[in-house]
Amino acid sequence: MSKKHNFSAGPCILPLDVLKKASEAVLNFNNDNLSLIEISHRSKPFVEVMEKAVGLVKELLEVPKGYSVLFLQGGASLEFLMVPLNLMKEKGGKAAYTNTGVWAKKSITEAKNSGEVFVVGDSSDKNYNYIPKGYNIPEDVDYFHCTSNNTIFGTQIKKFPKVPSLMVCDMSSDIFSRKIEVSKFDLIYAGAQKNMGPAGTTLVIIKDEILGNTGRNIPTMLNYNTHISKNSMFNTPPVFAIYVSMLTLQWLKDHGGVEWIEELNNQKAELLYNEIDRNPLFKGIAEKEDRSNMNVTFTLTDSSKEHLFNQLWENAGISGLKGHRSVGGYRASMYNALRLESVNALVNVMKNLEKKLR
Ligand SMILES: *Cc1c(COP(=O)(O)O)cnc(C)c1O
């Protein structure tokens, strides 16, 4: 099977091996002549899948003691609401947020329903093409929230700020793409479908001791403690999404883990950004120092060449390159499973365009 070069921003490319194993498990899981998706989530084979997935997260990210790893539902979007409900004091609750893009803005909207929100860094003045820096975070906020990688605009935090409060981060689109020090964070969340697996589950890594201090009556399903006490099985978990995430994490481990993929992701980013900077037909959108290694946003310097460029990359078997409607241009998403040869294919198309127009 010759797959397309899939630059989709999400749901994302997954390793071919993982797709094969996942489709086999849908027909016959564990050689039990039952499908993965028709067995009890409380059966031993599935409990083992869950335990393995949690174990791989802990191993790959070197999660310290005192943290829980959860696989929840509702996407990263539900975390926008769960975070303030679980961390903001009911009386006089305050939080600091950075506004670095569409997702950050949505998280701010949800937090405002639970307390006072200080937007301490904001890049909306330049359509989010940079990461705000050097801002002050009030000492008395319950937590600080940032988005590590802005999927739509192609910016990424390279150095996380020091914060006087709890540190919460939406890592939906760059989790497992580079080394992070989990101990510097109190809560990390990530929708699976950008860099870990299929849509349907959200990874949450949370420091246990930060919970239960708000004085709030939190609805059961929205309370992290509910899910911690039941090992993510308070209700039926999304078994398929968790299984495929587990396979993807196993794939990552087998190839050399986060260190290996970070090196490869750096190579992929360098290759494409170098071509964008070299080729006079293209221009990067994000500020250079804040460029994302996951989502590369760029435009043609002459938009009348769009039709020709589109034809060339489509003919080269490339898919998912169109930019988000709020940015325009192009976006090449280069998540973990995208191979260097796919980036090479795109760079060759860009060079070809230059030749054709010479
Ligand atoms: C895609 C994305 C989200 C939204 O995730 P859902 O799982 O669709 O709710 C949130 N934050 C970031 C950074 C994203 O890239």
Side-chain angles (χ1 to χ4, degrees):
M1 175 163 72
S2 155
K3 259 194 80 181
K4 284 196 171 167
H5 300 293
N6 185 0
F7 288 86
S8 166
C12 72
I13 181 169
L14 290 170
L16 195 53
D17 264 5
V18 167
L19 297 179
K20 281 184 188 149
K21 281 186 189 145
S23 45
E24 282 161 17
V26 167
L27 292 172
N28 181 1
F29 180 50
N30 256 358
N31 277 327
D32 280 341
N33 294 317
L34 289 169
S35 168
L36 166 78
I37 55 175
E38 59 177 15
I39 58 169
S40 166
H41 56 289
R42 309 213 182 268
S43 65
K44 192 161 170 271
F46 188 76
V47 170
E48 277 173 14
V49 169
M50 180 69 95
E51 282 169 357
K52 205 165 165 199
V54 169
L56 282 164
V57 171
K58 288 186 171 169
E59 188 179 340
L60 287 164
L61 295 179
E62 298 175 37
V63 177
K65 281 211 164 57
Y67 284 76
S68 292
V69 171
L70 302 174
F71 286 93
L72 304 182
Q73 300 186 62
S77 298
L78 191 65
E79 300 310 306
F80 297 164
L81 158 71
M82 283 177 75
V83 164
L85 280 179
N86 283 268
L87 301 184
M88 251 194 211
K89 298 222 163 43
E90 182 175 29
K91 293 204 178 74
K94 290 177 193 164
Y97 276 70
T98 51
N99 179 20
T100 54
V102 168
W103 300 116
K105 202 168 169 194
K106 287 186 175 171
S107 68
I108 291 168
T109 302
E110 294 306 315
K112 281 181 175 166
N113 289 323
S114 300
E116 194 175 352
V117 173
F118 300 92
V119 176
V120 294
D122 190 333
S123 53
S124 59
D125 58 334
K126 290 189 179 168
N127 199 29
Y128 303 113
N129 76 345
Y130 68 102
I131 296 286
K133 292 167 206 93
Y135 42 79
N136 288 316
I137 302 164
E139 297 275 335
D140 62 343
V141 292
D142 297 322
Y143 65 90
F144 166 78
H145 178 284
C146 60
T147 312
S148 59
N149 183 73
N150 297 284
T151 324
I152 293 174
F153 302 90
T155 61
Q156 186 175 31
I157 298 178
K158 303 293 172 183
K159 194 168 177 287
F160 287 95
K162 283 218 166 66
V163 303
S165 62
L166 298 183
M167 172 70 154
V168 180
C169 189
D170 174 359
M171 293 194 189
S172 291
S173 52
D174 67 354
I175 189 121
F176 298 111
S177 75
R178 58 175 173 173
K179 244 183 137 64
I180 48 159
E181 240 181 285
V182 175
S183 63
K184 299 233 162 93
F185 300 86
D186 297 283
L187 196 159
I188 294 168
Y189 62 90
Q193 71 275 17
K194 305 274 167 56
N195 218 8
M196 188 179 74
T201 190
T202 316
L203 173 66
V204 178
I205 303 170
I206 186 166
K207 197 175 194 174
D208 299 325
E209 67 180 36
I210 70 172
L211 294 171
N213 305 321
T214 62
R216 240 177 238 284
N217 192 5
I218 306 167
T220 312
M221 269 296 280
L222 302 180
N223 192 331
Y224 288 121
N225 272 327
T226 303
H227 301 288
I228 291 173
S229 67
K230 299 288 182 193
N231 298 318
S232 303
M233 299 239 207
F234 171 71
N235 67 325
T236 317
V239 291
F240 184 72
I242 293 167
Y243 180 68
V244 182
S245 297
M246 184 277 282
L247 292 177
T248 310
L249 296 175
Q250 184 67 51
W251 167 87
L252 182 55
K253 182 185 163 181
D254 291 346
H255 281 80
V258 175
E259 217 167 298
W260 164 75
I261 203 71
E262 180 168 13
E263 172 69 33
L264 183 61
N265 287 335
N266 285 339
Q267 278 179 34
K268 293 187 300 191
E270 201 178 306
L271 184 61
L272 183 51
Y273 282 122
N274 279 348
E275 179 61 14
I276 290 170
D277 293 339
R278 184 207 62 81
N279 192 327
L281 299 173
F282 296 95
K283 194 165 152 287
I285 292 175
E287 290 287 340
K288 278 191 183 171
E289 66 176 15
D290 302 323
R291 281 173 163 179
S292 166
N293 277 6
M294 293 282 98
N295 313 95
V296 178
T297 49
F298 61 98
T299 53
L300 281 162
T301 43
D302 175 359
S303 61
S304 73
K305 304 295 183 289
E306 236 170 61
H307 184 70
L308 180 58
F309 180 51
N310 292 349
Q311 249 180 1
L312 288 177
W313 60 259
E314 276 163 24
N315 289 344
I318 287 170
S319 150
L321 210 61
K322 267 263 178 303
H324 189 270
R325 57 193 178 280
S326 60
V327 183
Y330 298 92
R331 170 173 50 168
S333 297
M334 308 197 295
Y335 296 117
N336 285 354
L338 187 89
R339 294 150 58 122
L340 191 61
E341 67 179 56
S342 294
V343 185
N344 260 317
L346 174 57
V347 166
N348 284 338
V349 166
M350 294 162 83
K351 290 189 164 135
N352 253 334
L353 182 71
E354 192 186 20
K355 271 188 212 135
K356 279 198 190 307
L357 294 174
R358 204 169 268 152

